[in-house]
């Protein structure tokens, strides 16, 4: 299969203090998020000068991918578009059309199934192509990659490195805790093709955690959640990381390695919710705390993207380690299956 370009499609984030509230309003439009919650999250961004790390992380990933493509003699330009902040995907796809791109692959910076992790990227693609007009390029989204060997290897090495950061006398008894972004329980129940039984997101996160734990020699581990943002009356996946630290302390656990397996790079949720809130909670409890790095800066992540591109171009079998289903490869915003990853109900609907 022939493609003219690669589009890295991501969430987006503010890069100036004055962008913070407009960005958050874009993210939460129609979701019924209380204004006080928006103000609280805005303070997190302003703590870092109003700059989210996500765009810089993505530009670094793109530079690494361009280097990887050059090493493989893969002549594909790499474009960058976001859902919620500049560069907006609509503008990027319009530029691709103007540059003569007829067909491109799309790499989403989410490894997962579910509405937010997969279907919403299809909606981004559909919206951007409509905005670009009848000559918009064909856009083929690459598959979910939560159990790709290179991703698991990068996370496993990060866990090993983090464990070495703990006090020597506490390393052997350290608890391994994996985190991912929480979503509403109802959204998780609807994640995946209906025939697959739902809960695709939480199943994939747990599978990635299992593979990483096995690779690092941990016999047991925990999967917890972070960064919930919805109305308090709506059930979300639990336990939250800070509540879980309380539970571990009550059991006498004195050290933890926290691996943000649900994130490909150091988004604000990682550097605030883990490096600040969770780390401070652990310190209050007397728990030694080490956070594993995300894989976006690891050379294997750029190699993973190149492998997915080569796999799609050659229609080759996917390289996977796990047994939980993976989907996600679609054309021009089509769904993986009818009814797949139904969007969440909005207030008043």
């Amino acid at each position: 299969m022939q493609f003219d370009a690669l589009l890295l499609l991501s969430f987006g984030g503010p890069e100036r203090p004055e962008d913070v509230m407009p960005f958050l309003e874009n993210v939460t439009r129609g979701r019924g998020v209380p204004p006080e919650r928006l103000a609280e999250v805005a303070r997190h961004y302003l703590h870092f000068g109003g700059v989210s790390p996500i765009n810089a992380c993505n530009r670094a990933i793109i530079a690494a991918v361009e280097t990887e493509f050059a090493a493989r003699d893969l002549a594909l330009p790499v474009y960058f578009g976001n859902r919620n902040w500049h560069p907006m995907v609509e503008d990027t796809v319009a530029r691709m059309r103007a540059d003569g791109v007829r067909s491109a692959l799309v790499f989403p910076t989410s490894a997962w199934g579910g509405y937010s992790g997969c279907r919403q990227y299809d909606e981004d693609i559909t919206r951007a192509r409509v905005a670009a007009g009848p000559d918009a390029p064909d856009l083929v989204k690459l598959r979910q990659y939560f159990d790709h060997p290179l991703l698991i290897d990068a996370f496993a090495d990060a866990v090993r490195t983090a464990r070495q950061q703990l006090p020597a006398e506490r390393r052997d008894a350290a608890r391994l805790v994996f985190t991912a972004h929480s979503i509403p329980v109802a959204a998780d129940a609807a994640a995946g093709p209906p025939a697959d039984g739902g809960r695709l997101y939480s199943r994939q996160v747990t599978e990635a955690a299992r593979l990483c734990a096995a690779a690092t020699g941990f016999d047991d581990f925990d999967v917890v959640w972070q960064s919930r943002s919805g109305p308090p009356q709506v059930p979300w996946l639990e336990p939250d990381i800070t509540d879980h630290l309380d539970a571990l302390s009550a059991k006498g656990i004195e050290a933890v390695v926290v691996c943000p397996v649900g994130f490909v790079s150091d988004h604000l949720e990682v550097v605030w919710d883990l490096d600040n809130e969770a780390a401070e909670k652990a310190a209050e409890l007397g728990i030694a705390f080490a956070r594993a790095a995300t894989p976006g800066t690891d050379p294997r992540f750029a190699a993973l993207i190149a492998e997915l591109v080569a796999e799609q171009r050659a229609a080759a079998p996917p390289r996977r380690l796990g047994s939980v289903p993976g989907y996600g490869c679609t054309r021009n915003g089509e769904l993986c299956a009818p009814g797949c990853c139904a969007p969440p109900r909005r207030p008043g609907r």
Side-chain angles (χ1 to χ4, degrees):
M1 301 177 68
Q2 298 301 311
F3 298 96
D4 305 323
L6 175 71
L7 166 62
L8 186 140
L9 178 56
S10 194
F11 187 82
E15 297 187 276
R16 304 178 302 169
E18 56 266 38
D19 295 339
V20 171
M21 284 306 296
F23 161 74
L24 291 175
E25 289 164 358
N26 278 350
V27 173
T28 61
R29 185 168 289 114
R31 296 188 180 185
V33 177
E36 58 272 19
R37 175 58 181 164
L38 280 188
E40 178 186 348
V41 175
R43 286 194 294 272
H44 300 170
Y45 283 95
L46 294 172
H47 177 81
F48 297 99
V51 179
S52 167
I54 189 171
N55 277 354
C57 291
N58 285 328
R59 292 185 185 109
I61 289 170
I62 288 169
V65 168
E66 289 171 338
T67 299
E68 185 71 23
F69 280 2
R72 295 173 181 241
D73 293 324
L74 189 55
L76 285 182
V78 184
Y79 291 82
F80 177 27
N82 286 322
R83 175 185 306 151
N84 296 300
W85 204 248
H86 307 284
M88 303 296 288
V89 65
E90 294 92 337
D91 298 332
T92 301
V93 172
R95 181 160 62 89
M96 293 167 69
R97 179 204 60 202
D99 289 347
V101 173
R102 302 294 300 275
S103 181
L105 291 166
V106 180
F107 176 79
T109 57
S110 166
W112 315 101
Y115 176 75
S116 297
C118 186
R119 180 166 173 170
Q120 202 167 12
Y121 287 91
D122 293 319
E123 293 176 356
D124 297 337
I125 289 168
T126 298
R127 187 179 66 254
R129 294 189 74 253
V130 169
D135 294 327
D138 284 337
L139 298 176
V140 175
K141 181 159 67 71
L142 294 165
R143 66 175 177 87
Q144 296 154 13
Y145 50 93
F146 66 96
D147 61 352
H148 194 287
L150 292 174
L151 187 74
I152 299 302
D153 286 350
F155 270 125
D157 280 348
V159 167
R160 295 185 188 100
T161 299
R163 190 179 194 179
Q164 291 303 308
Q165 296 167 2
L166 294 171
E169 67 276 10
R170 297 192 186 187
R171 287 176 197 156
D172 290 344
R175 186 73 181 172
L176 178 58
V177 178
F178 293 95
T179 73
H181 204 301
S182 186
I183 63 172
V185 171
D188 188 48
D196 195 29
R199 297 183 56 250
L200 184 67
Y201 173 66
S202 60
R203 288 159 57 202
Q204 289 179 342
V205 168
T206 301
E207 181 72 344
R210 182 190 69 81
L211 292 166
C212 182
T216 51
F218 280 86
D219 296 327
D220 201 8
F221 62 92
D222 302 320
V223 175
V224 303
W225 309 93
Q226 62 173 90
S227 312
R228 71 157 291 162
S229 60
Q233 67 272 20
V234 176
W236 283 50
L237 295 176
E238 295 179 339
D240 181 81
I241 175 64
T242 53
D243 295 335
H244 189 64
L245 290 171
D246 278 323
L248 291 179
S249 178
K251 294 178 181 179
I253 299 297
E254 296 184 341
V256 294
V257 175
V258 175
C259 176
V261 74
F263 300 87
V264 302
S265 57
D266 280 10
H267 302 172
L268 186 84
E269 292 89 346
V270 174
V271 298
W272 179 264
D273 294 357
L274 299 183
D275 296 350
N276 284 269
E277 290 186 343
E280 290 175 3
K281 182 67 170 181
E284 291 173 9
L285 297 169
I287 297 175
F289 180 97
R291 197 264 286 179
T294 49
T297 56
D298 189 299
R300 284 169 289 196
F301 194 69
L304 179 157
I305 296 173
E307 279 201 16
L308 293 179
V309 168
E311 173 188 300
Q312 186 65 29
R313 294 177 82 202
R319 265 218 310 155
R320 302 184 58 214
L321 292 175
S323 57
V324 173
Y327 305 95
C329 183
T330 58
R331 180 177 178 270
N332 292 340
E334 297 168 352
L335 301 183
C336 299
C340 188
C341 299
R345 292 179 61 86
R346 303 303 187 202
R349 290 176 61 184

